């Protein structure tokens, strides 16, 4: 099952990376959730300090999303559950996908 989950996760990540039109059409909030959940699933809990700088809004926003997803009790500390949630989030944006 784990190999199957990793394959589905990789396919979902590739679908988002390689489909700029879908990424642009999606709501920014949805894309931030996908990013934060991806970071949790691929890297783990957010353990980096929040980026500083006055003109670093994009990186701060991305960090905020990762940090938010790191605090979701059902997912925090369980990268497999985070991968499942990531696949679910991507499937909402790309409903025709067959992982």
């Amino acid at each position: 099952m784990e190999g199957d989950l990793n394959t589905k996760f990789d396919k979902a990540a590739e679908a988002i990376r390689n489909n700029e039109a879908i990424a642009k059409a999606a709501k920014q909030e949805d894309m931030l959730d996908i990013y934060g959940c991806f970071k949790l699933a691929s890297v783990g809990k957010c353990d980096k300090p929040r980026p500083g700088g006055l003109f670093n809004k994009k990186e701060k926003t991305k960090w905020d999303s990762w940090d938010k997803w790191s605090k979701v009790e059902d997912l925090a500390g369980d990268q497999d559950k985070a991968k499942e949630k990531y696949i679910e989030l991507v499937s909402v944006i790309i409903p025709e996908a067959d992982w």
Side-chain angles (χ1 to χ4, degrees), residues 3-17 22 83-99:
D4 188 41
L5 176 62
N6 288 330
T7 299
K8 288 179 180 181
F9 175 76
D10 291 342
K11 286 181 179 181
E14 185 177 333
I16 287 292
R17 262 194 308 271
I22 286 177
K83 287 177 183 180
E84 290 170 358
K85 184 64 176 178
Y86 177 81
I87 293 164
E88 179 184 317
L89 291 172
V90 172
S91 294
V92 170
I93 292 176
I94 311 173
E96 69 278 4
D98 181 26
W99 317 118

Side-chain angles (χ1 to χ4, degrees), residues 10-82:
D10 291 342
K11 286 181 179 181
E14 185 177 333
I16 287 292
R17 262 194 308 271
N18 294 332
N19 199 328
E20 196 172 312
I22 286 177
K24 284 185 178 183
K27 295 178 188 173
Q28 182 179 7
E29 181 181 321
D30 293 339
M31 291 307 293
L32 284 170
D33 281 340
I34 285 171
Y35 174 82
C37 192
F38 174 83
K39 288 289 282 189
L40 179 61
S42 60
V43 177
K45 290 180 81 169
C46 181
D47 62 353
K48 308 281 186 224
R50 189 171 192 254
L54 183 61
F55 301 104
N56 207 3
K57 184 177 179 183
K58 181 179 178 180
E59 293 305 313
K60 288 179 183 179
T61 303
K62 288 166 57 176
W63 183 94
D64 288 344
S65 181
W66 180 21
D67 184 59
K68 176 184 91 172
W69 279 94
S70 293
K71 294 175 180 172
V72 174
E73 278 190 40
D74 292 348
L75 304 178
D78 189 335
Q79 286 181 280
D80 284 345
K81 284 185 181 179

